[in-house]
């Protein structure tokens, strides 16, 4: 513990106290179930959460029963809850003792820094209105827990928080403890692993729960916290009194739209996803209106309704006929309630087709207009407090969630588009069966010709190939939804593995077949075709990132792009904005962690400069995963590390797999994470409007760092025996049998490293405690610079302390290194049968680990992690002994399973279930999957 940080001491002490409570409850459950020995061997006994743990579960660590593994898995899940609650309560304590302005990363700390930098309240208010942040929920298969288990975790967490209230009597505290113990027994009796892969409908239900039940309330909370911090910093509250002045926090989803290597995402699935999103949004608003009607019990006998409200009630009731009469009859003499009843009657059904003569709301703006009329009537009465407290949250909800809840992106691989276009051209009588082998010049010549005419290539009833039919069926669903409900709810057409201009222009030609492009008159860029849907490149590999600026220069200069941007900006009343998605996972898998980070940094800087040159606002979409190897890291540090000028206040970023539950399952944690995202986006956007700090002197050193680390990383992957080592020293074969997501682990099913997705790649290295993608090559590169260019190394050290990007990148790498265990790496390496491969590859990895650890200590001035990162050290130490037992068990079970499979033993399936349980338990202990 730190004697100089009382808040940290409080958090550590709270972890110990709460662990004693939850493990006591768990021990009681096990004893009652007859598991007396297991209960006695649970980790973290009361009052001895660190020292005594090493003595427990000591017997048979390589041959644990499934129930032992499940017990440790639940113990880790309880520890995770305790740590989450301790972090929340520590923040609350800090805010109580020091004030809201002292909480860095949130509204208070950010507004204080903005004001200190000289920005006025009016300048900040103007910036707030332009902020647009959009988290995008994906169904990437990294969530190892069943949805029913996640819900039970949530209920247990709520009980843990409930204990924080000091008002409970001892008897009431006992009741809470009893309820917690009941929940634990339920969790103990619930299966830990999925027996079958979740289908897309289940994944969609999971995403909808957050979108409908979590985020609306969280946005209300962060709005209130903004207004509190705004007053505390001394800005005029009137500047942000209108909810339209607040940042736009909207949401996206890929569930039902991401078809990159996912054959189960059919056109029917996309239709169902769009329908369910719309239905859920309308249910959200209906529930809000019903609660509002309960609260607006103002009677006309005590106040006269304003004329505008009375007139609107009469007009709406007359238009609705019988439904209007029922709405009035429900609450006689209470006109405000009557008006809300009429609003409820005007809500459309999920499948309604808007029509000009319809009495129902065709667009969410009509609902917002009625809410504003209601608000104005309350203001006129002098009931401003009621108007702000009851109407403003609903206005905000309608503004942000509309009738669509979240936008659905459509993602497809450029290789699939290639095949689809080839089939369309062939159907049109154009000899293009070999389209994938055409040169870029030949492709562009044909595409430019096609994009000069609205004429489709194929008749709607034409018999097309599999890829063309699949792509067109999906886009026709999008077109049909657009015709029925407008553009709201429809996101971007994202092209994964974008490697050329033709990859993007191909989408326009295919979209034309589905009716998603239109002929427009554009005096600035010439009349012709344009798309109202953004066509978005996804640059994933290091090579793609390096070429991204050249591709985007050609793309943003193309007439069809310029017309499309003009059409899209006209629809939203904004400036031309091009979205660009950046892939963190594949670039790291491709060339290692620092080469990935450096090339992402340089690509964003080059693209931002290009956008300014061409007069196009760029909206970067960051495809971050849940681990350092896939772009994870503290959100506020990530935003602060972005290249100067790249953050325009408009960004998207993915929330994937297990990070969704970790960040948003519980309201206080969700509020913290979303507030941190929006507040730091606002502050960083404002700071980036100033002069850019110049760190260009270290660029040559970092270029060398990236090049050398990448070469070291790539040479390992290309080394003889590496694939054998990876296949045998990690549980990759187990993970490919795990039912943790509906999407396959390989893009096309080929048994190659290139075809393997980044998630199982990272997941398997993490399980075996190598964490290899997040650090390998770093030590060699730093050592070379230190030896051959001491001045350059000294400059790198100095800039690490000064430059947020470099500090963020190296701190994340250090976090990965801290999670590596060289002893366990050696234990997993022992699974490799070929001694030469085991010695050469395993030895090479171990040497690089020691080198990287040593060099990072030099970069950070020789201080230990215990001094600089006490919370990280405590978190790892708390888990160490129990994790070792699980790893030993997994290694022994892997040997048995592989031997059984090799012998075609029918018992292999039962062993696999034990292995999958160990995967879940270790993932719970590490708090990470892939």
């Amino acid at each position: 513990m730190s004697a100089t940080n009382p808040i940290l001491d409080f958090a550590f002490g709270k972890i110990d106290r709460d662990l004693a409570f939850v493990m006591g409850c768990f021990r009681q459950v096990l004893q009652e179930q007859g598991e007396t020995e297991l209960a006695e061997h649970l980790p973290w006994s009361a009052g001895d959460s660190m020292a005594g743990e090493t003595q427990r579960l000591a017997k048979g660590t390589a041959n644990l029963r499934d129930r032992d593994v499940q017990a440790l898995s639940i113990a880790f899940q309880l520890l995770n809850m305790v740590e989450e609650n301790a972090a929340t309560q520590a923040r609350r304590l800090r805010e109580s003792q020091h004030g809201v302005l002292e909480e860095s990363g949130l509204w208070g700390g950010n507004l204080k820094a903005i004001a200190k930098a000289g920005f006025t309240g009016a300048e900040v208010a103007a910036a707030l209105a332009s902020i647009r942040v959009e988290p995008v929920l994906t169904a990437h298969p990294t969530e190892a827990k069943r949805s029913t288990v996640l819900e039970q975790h949530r209920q247990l967490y709520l009980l843990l928080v409930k204990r924080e209230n000091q008002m409970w009597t001892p008897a009431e505290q006992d009741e809470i403890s009893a309820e917690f113990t009941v929940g634990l027994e339920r969790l103990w009796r619930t299966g830990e692993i999925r027996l079958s892969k979740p289908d897309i409908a289940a994944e969609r239900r999971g995403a909808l729960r957050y979108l409908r039940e979590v985020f609306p309330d969280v946005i209300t909370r962060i709005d209130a916290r903004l207004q509190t911090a705004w007053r505390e910093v001394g800005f005029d509250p009137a500047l942000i009194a209108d909810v339209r002045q607040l940042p736009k926090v909207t949401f996206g989803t890929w569930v039902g739209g991401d078809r990159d290597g996912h054959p189960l995402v059919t056109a029917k699935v996309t239709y169902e996803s769009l329908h369910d999103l719309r239905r859920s949004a309308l249910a959200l608003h209906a529930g809000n209106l019903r609660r509002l009607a309960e609260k607006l019990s103002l009677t006309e006998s005590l106040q006269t309704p304003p004329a505008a409200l009375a007139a609107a009630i009469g007009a709406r009731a007359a238009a609705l006929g019988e439904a209007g009469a029922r709405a009035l009859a429900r609450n006689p003499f209470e006109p405000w309630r009557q008006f809300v009843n009429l609003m409820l009657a005007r809500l459309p059904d999920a499948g309604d087709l808007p029509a000009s003569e319809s009495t129902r709301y065709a667009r969410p703006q009509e609902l917002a207009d009625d809410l504003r009329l209601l608000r104005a009537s309350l203001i006129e009465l002098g009931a401003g407090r009621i108007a702000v407290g009851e109407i403003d949250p609903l206005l905000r909800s309608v503004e942000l969630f509309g009738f669509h809840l979240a936008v659905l992106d459509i993602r497809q691989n450029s290789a699939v588009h290639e095949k689809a276009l080839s089939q369309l051209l062939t159907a049109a009588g154009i000899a293009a069966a070999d389209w994938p082998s055409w040169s870029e010049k030949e492709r562009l010549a044909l595409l430019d010709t096609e994009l000069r005419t609205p004429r489709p290539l194929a008749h709607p009833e034409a018999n097309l190939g599999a890829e063309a039919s699949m792509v067109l069926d999906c886009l026709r669903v999008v077109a049909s939804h657009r015709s029925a409900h407008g553009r709201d709810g429809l996101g971007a057409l994202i092209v994964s593995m974008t490697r050329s201009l033709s990859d993007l222009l191909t989408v326009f030609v295919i979209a034309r077949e589905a009716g998603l492009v239109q002929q427009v008159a554009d005096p600035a860029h010439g009349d012709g075709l344009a798309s109202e849907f953004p066509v978005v490149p996804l640059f994933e590999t290091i090579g793609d990132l390096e070429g991204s600026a050249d591709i985007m220069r050609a793309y943003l200069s193309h007439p069809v792009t310029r017309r499309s941007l003009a059409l899209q900006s006209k629809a939203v009343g904004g400036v031309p904005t091009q979205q660009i998605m950046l892939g963190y996972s594949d670039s790291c898998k491709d060339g290692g962690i620092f080469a990935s980070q450096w090339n992402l940094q340089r690509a964003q800087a080059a693209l931002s400069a290009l956008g300014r040159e061409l007069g196009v606002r760029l909206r970067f979409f960051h495809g971050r995963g849940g681990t350092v190897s896939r772009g994870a890291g503290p959100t506020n540090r990530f935003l602060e590390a972005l290249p100067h000028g790249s953050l325009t206040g408009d960004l998207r970023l993915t929330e994937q797999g297990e990070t969704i539950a970790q960040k948003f399952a519980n309201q206080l944690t969700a509020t913290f994470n979303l507030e941190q995202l929006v507040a730091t986006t606002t502050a960083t956007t404002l700071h980036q409007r100033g002069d850019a700090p110049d760190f260009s002197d270290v660029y040559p050193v970092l270029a060398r760092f990236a090049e050398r680390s990448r070469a070291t990383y790539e040479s390992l992957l290309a080394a003889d025996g590496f694939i054998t080592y990876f296949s045998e020293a990690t549980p990759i074969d187990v993970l490919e049998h795990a039912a943790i997501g509906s999407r396959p682990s390989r893009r096309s099913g080929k048994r190659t490293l290139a075809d393997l997705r980044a998630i199982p790649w990272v997941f398997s290295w993490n399980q075996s405690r190598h964490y290899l993608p997040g650090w390998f090559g770093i030590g060699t590169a730093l050592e070379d610079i230190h030896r051959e260019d001491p001045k350059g190394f000294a400059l790198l050290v100095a800039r690490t302390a000064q430059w947020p990007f470099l500090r963020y990148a190296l701190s994340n790498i250090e976090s990965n290194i801290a999670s590596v265990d060289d002893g366990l790496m050696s234990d997993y390496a022992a699974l490799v049968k070929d001694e030469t491969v085991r010695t050469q590859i395993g030895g090479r990895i171990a040497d690089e680990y020691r080198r990287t650890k040593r060099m990072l200590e030099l970069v950070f001035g020789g201080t230990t992690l215990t001094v600089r990162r006490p919370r990280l050290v405590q978190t790892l130490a708390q888990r160490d002994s129990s994790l070792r037992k699980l790893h030993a068990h997994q290694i022994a079970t892997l040997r048995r399973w592989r031997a059984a499979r090799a012998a075609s033993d029918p018992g292999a399936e039962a062993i696999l279930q034990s292995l999958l349980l160990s995967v879940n338990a270790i993932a719970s202990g590490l708090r990470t999957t892939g």
Side-chain angles (χ1 to χ4, degrees):
M1 292 187 186
S2 167
T4 60
N5 190 334
I7 300 296
L8 193 61
D9 290 347
F10 163 81
F12 287 162
K14 181 160 185 57
I15 288 172
D16 285 348
R17 292 190 299 274
D18 285 356
L19 259 182
F21 165 71
V22 299
M23 296 310 293
C25 293
F26 192 20
R27 192 169 293 109
Q28 179 183 342
V29 168
L30 294 178
Q31 289 169 342
E32 290 172 352
Q33 302 304 314
E35 295 280 2
T36 305
E37 184 178 4
L38 181 53
E40 292 173 354
H41 292 157
L42 281 177
W44 315 309
S45 62
D48 193 20
S49 63
M50 289 296 295
E53 202 278 333
T54 58
Q55 305 301 318
R56 302 176 187 282
L57 278 175
K59 298 190 296 181
T61 56
N63 192 30
L64 300 175
R65 301 173 304 153
D66 284 354
R67 284 307 235 181
D68 297 330
V69 175
Q70 185 186 6
L72 285 174
S73 180
I74 291 175
F76 280 130
Q77 292 159 22
L78 293 172
L79 173 59
N80 294 339
M81 290 180 209
V82 164
E83 288 179 335
E84 180 181 343
N85 184 50
T88 296
Q89 300 309 324
R91 287 193 297 270
R92 292 167 65 85
L93 178 63
R94 187 184 301 111
E95 190 171 306
S96 296
Q97 292 184 349
H98 303 292
V100 68
L101 299 184
E102 299 306 313
E103 193 63 48
S104 64
L106 302 182
W107 278 124
N110 276 304
L111 286 180
K112 180 181 176 181
I114 291 168
K116 186 177 180 180
F119 290 96
T120 67
E123 290 170 331
V124 180
L128 282 176
S130 68
I131 298 297
R132 181 168 61 147
V133 177
E134 190 165 272
V136 179
L137 306 186
T138 78
H140 283 42
T142 63
E143 177 53 82
K145 301 179 188 68
R146 298 172 58 196
S147 58
T148 187
V149 169
L150 288 173
E151 177 57 26
Q152 291 178 41
H153 285 184
R154 195 175 74 85
Q155 295 300 326
L156 288 170
Y157 183 85
L158 291 174
L159 290 169
L160 198 59
V161 174
K162 190 175 181 180
R163 293 180 73 244
E164 300 297 331
N165 196 323
Q166 299 302 306
M167 65 175 280
W168 305 121
T169 66
E172 289 168 332
Q173 284 283 9
D174 288 344
E175 289 176 11
I176 297 172
S177 298
E179 195 175 349
F180 192 93
T181 306
V182 169
L184 266 179
E185 180 176 343
R186 187 181 302 113
L187 184 62
W188 175 246
R189 292 176 178 275
T190 300
E192 280 284 295
I193 59 174
R194 297 187 180 103
L195 299 179
S196 59
K197 278 183 173 288
D199 59 16
I200 298 171
E203 292 173 337
R204 184 166 57 238
R205 286 193 298 272
L208 286 171
R209 193 190 78 77
Y210 292 98
L211 291 166
R212 186 180 60 227
E213 299 175 21
V214 176
F215 293 133
D217 289 340
V218 167
I219 286 172
T220 299
R221 290 176 63 87
I222 66 172
D223 286 349
R225 289 180 57 79
L226 165 59
Q227 288 158 347
T228 298
W230 189 268
R231 291 190 299 271
E232 287 292 315
V233 86
F235 291 154
D236 182 1
L239 291 170
I240 58 169
D242 189 330
V243 296
R244 287 171 290 193
Q245 288 296 120
L246 301 179
K248 306 296 184 292
V249 187
T250 56
F251 297 89
T253 179
W254 278 10
V255 184
D258 180 13
R259 53 214 339 105
D260 179 13
H262 198 331
L264 300 180
V265 182
T266 62
K268 181 175 182 289
V269 165
T270 298
Y271 168 82
E272 290 168 347
S273 295
L274 289 168
H275 178 81
D276 283 356
L277 285 165
R278 178 173 168 82
R279 179 181 53 77
S280 295
L282 293 168
L284 169 68
H285 300 318
N288 286 341
L289 289 173
R290 280 192 288 270
R291 285 186 288 275
L292 179 64
E294 292 172 0
K295 295 173 181 178
L296 290 186
S297 53
L298 290 72
T299 173
E300 64 182 23
S301 65
L302 295 178
Q303 52 257 306
T304 302
L309 179 67
I313 290 173
R316 304 289 191 277
L320 285 165
E322 185 178 340
R326 286 196 301 270
L328 296 183
R330 195 171 303 128
N331 298 104
F333 313 114
E334 296 178 333
W336 287 269
R337 273 183 169 169
Q338 289 177 326
F339 190 69
V340 176
N341 293 338
L342 291 166
M343 294 167 69
L344 274 164
R346 294 189 68 197
L347 279 180
D349 292 329
D352 273 354
L353 299 182
S356 58
E357 70 276 12
S358 174
T359 57
R360 300 202 180 200
Y361 298 120
R363 296 288 181 264
Q365 185 56 47
E366 298 172 7
L367 172 57
D369 289 343
D370 274 357
L371 282 169
R372 292 189 189 284
L373 191 156
L374 188 64
R375 185 183 193 276
S377 76
L378 292 167
I379 297 290
E380 187 174 336
L381 284 182
R385 191 182 300 274
I386 296 176
V388 171
E390 305 296 353
I391 308 298
D392 281 3
L394 271 66
L395 271 170
R396 185 81 159 132
S397 190
V398 172
E399 175 192 40
L400 300 182
F401 295 99
F403 289 169
H404 61 280
L405 200 63
V407 297
L408 181 70
D409 287 338
I410 306 297
R411 184 172 76 135
Q412 185 54 276
N413 196 288
S414 60
V416 174
H417 288 150
E418 277 187 347
K419 293 178 181 177
L421 183 60
S422 174
Q423 292 161 3
L424 281 167
L425 291 170
T426 300
I430 300 171
D434 59 344
W435 173 260
S437 65
W438 284 28
S439 69
E440 180 69 359
K441 182 178 179 180
E442 291 171 324
R443 290 185 182 204
L444 291 177
L446 187 145
L447 290 169
D448 283 338
T449 298
E450 284 300 320
L451 290 173
R452 292 191 189 101
T453 172
R455 177 259 314 144
L457 284 165
H459 188 276
E461 303 301 324
N463 186 19
L464 304 173
E467 286 77 12
S469 296
M470 175 180 65
V471 172
L472 284 179
D473 285 349
C474 169
L475 294 183
R476 285 169 179 151
V477 166
V478 172
S480 175
H481 189 87
R482 187 271 320 271
S483 297
H485 306 300
R487 178 72 180 80
D488 293 349
L490 299 169
L493 306 177
I494 299 174
V495 185
S496 60
M497 291 298 174
T498 297
R499 291 177 173 167
S500 64
L501 172 61
S502 64
D503 286 340
L504 298 172
L505 297 184
T506 293
V507 178
F508 288 93
V509 175
I510 297 174
R512 183 187 63 185
E513 302 296 303
L516 292 180
V517 298
Q518 55 186 276
Q519 187 79 12
V520 299
D522 188 333
H525 307 103
D527 297 353
L529 295 180
S531 171
E532 61 183 302
F533 294 90
V535 176
V536 175
L538 168 48
F539 299 113
E540 299 181 79
T541 67
I542 288 177
D544 296 342
L545 290 167
E546 290 173 335
S548 60
D550 289 338
I551 292 173
M552 290 310 297
R553 177 177 292 279
Y555 181 59
L556 292 174
S557 301
H558 198 281
V560 74
T561 307
R562 302 299 295 203
R563 286 192 295 267
S564 296
L565 293 180
L567 179 64
Q568 292 158 21
S569 64
K570 184 178 179 181
V572 297
V575 297
T577 301
Q578 174 63 48
Q579 188 180 151
I580 299 174
M581 187 170 183
L582 303 169
Y584 288 70
S585 304
D586 284 284
S587 57
C588 180
K589 178 173 176 278
D590 184 42
I593 185 67
F594 191 77
S596 168
Q597 290 292 315
W598 179 241
N599 280 281
L600 282 160
Q601 185 81 0
R602 301 308 298 146
Q604 288 176 77
L607 290 165
S608 299
L610 176 65
R612 290 190 292 272
E613 176 191 337
L614 299 179
V616 176
R617 185 187 195 190
L618 297 185
R619 186 188 198 196
F620 285 111
F621 182 6
H622 300 277
R624 304 170 73 216
T627 60
V628 168
S629 303
R630 299 185 51 244
T635 301
N636 58 325
R637 304 303 179 205
F638 163 74
L639 293 167
E640 292 163 356
L642 294 175
H644 195 89
S646 67
L647 185 55
T648 61
D650 186 1
L651 86 158
R652 309 179 85 206
L653 69 173
T654 53
E655 298 291 356
Q656 302 184 9
E658 83 275 16
T659 64
I660 298 174
Q662 288 173 3
K663 287 184 175 183
F664 304 119
N666 304 307
Q667 190 181 69
L668 292 177
T669 306
T671 300
F672 167 75
N673 283 300
L674 199 58
E675 180 181 346
Q676 186 180 69
L677 171 61
V678 184
T680 309
T681 297
T682 303
T684 306
T685 298
L686 282 166
H687 290 314
Q688 287 197 4
R689 292 179 181 176
D691 295 334
D694 186 7
F695 298 111
S696 59
D697 56 351
V698 78
Y699 286 6
V701 181
L702 298 187
R704 178 178 177 180
F705 184 8
E707 181 181 354
R708 187 71 182 94
S709 64
R710 179 182 181 182
T712 304
Y713 176 87
E714 289 178 341
S715 68
L716 175 71
L717 269 60
D720 289 341
F722 173 76
I723 298 300
T724 298
Y725 183 92
F726 170 58
S727 300
E728 297 180 15
T730 78
I732 180 61
D733 45 353
V734 178
L735 297 179
E736 292 191 294
H737 286 80
I740 61 171
S742 65
R743 192 176 74 170
S745 61
R746 296 179 182 273
R747 279 194 163 90
S748 62
K750 298 176 182 175
R751 304 297 300 178
T752 65
L753 189 59
D755 196 57
L756 182 69
R757 291 187 183 274
I759 289 171
W761 166 255
V762 173
F763 198 167
S764 56
W765 287 118
N766 291 358
Q767 282 274 310
S768 61
R769 297 300 289 276
H770 286 67
Y771 280 78
L772 184 139
W775 59 267
F776 193 88
I778 299 300
T780 294
L782 288 173
E783 188 177 66
D784 285 356
I785 296 168
H786 183 258
R787 181 180 60 250
E788 299 170 11
D789 183 11
K791 290 184 178 178
F793 187 84
L795 182 61
L796 184 151
V797 171
R799 293 294 179 253
T800 299
Q802 300 161 347
W803 189 10
F805 159 70
L806 198 50
R807 184 167 60 250
Y808 173 77
L810 293 180
S811 294
N812 281 344
I813 293 168
E814 184 186 45
S815 297
N816 253 4
I817 277 288
S819 300
V820 174
D821 188 299
D822 52 350
L824 287 171
M825 279 200 302
S826 178
D827 292 343
Y828 277 92
L831 290 167
V832 179
K833 296 176 183 177
D834 189 315
E835 183 178 357
T836 301
V837 170
R838 182 171 65 248
T839 302
Q840 292 182 352
I841 302 299
R844 190 169 170 179
I845 293 171
D847 288 345
E848 183 67 8
Y849 164 71
R850 290 188 286 269
R851 186 180 300 113
T852 300
K853 190 175 181 181
R854 184 178 70 250
M855 295 310 301
L856 284 174
E857 287 177 356
L858 278 180
V859 169
F860 287 108
T863 57
T864 64
L865 269 177
T866 304
V867 173
R868 290 184 298 102
R869 311 278 293 276
R871 183 178 173 187
L872 174 63
V873 171
Q874 166 87 350
T875 297
L876 293 171
Q878 194 110 40
R879 290 160 163 72
D880 183 67
S881 182
S882 294
L883 274 170
R884 289 184 182 281
K885 297 167 180 54
L886 288 170
H887 285 299
H889 168 72
Q890 187 180 80
I891 290 167
T893 312
L894 263 171
R895 281 200 177 94
R896 289 194 296 120
W897 179 60
R898 287 170 178 172
R901 290 184 73 199
S904 300
D905 185 339
E909 181 60 30
I911 302 173
L912 174 62
Q913 296 307 305
S914 296
L915 272 174
L916 293 173
L917 190 60
S918 77
V919 167
N920 276 25
I922 291 172
S924 293
L926 296 174
R927 292 215 74 180
T928 184
T929 55

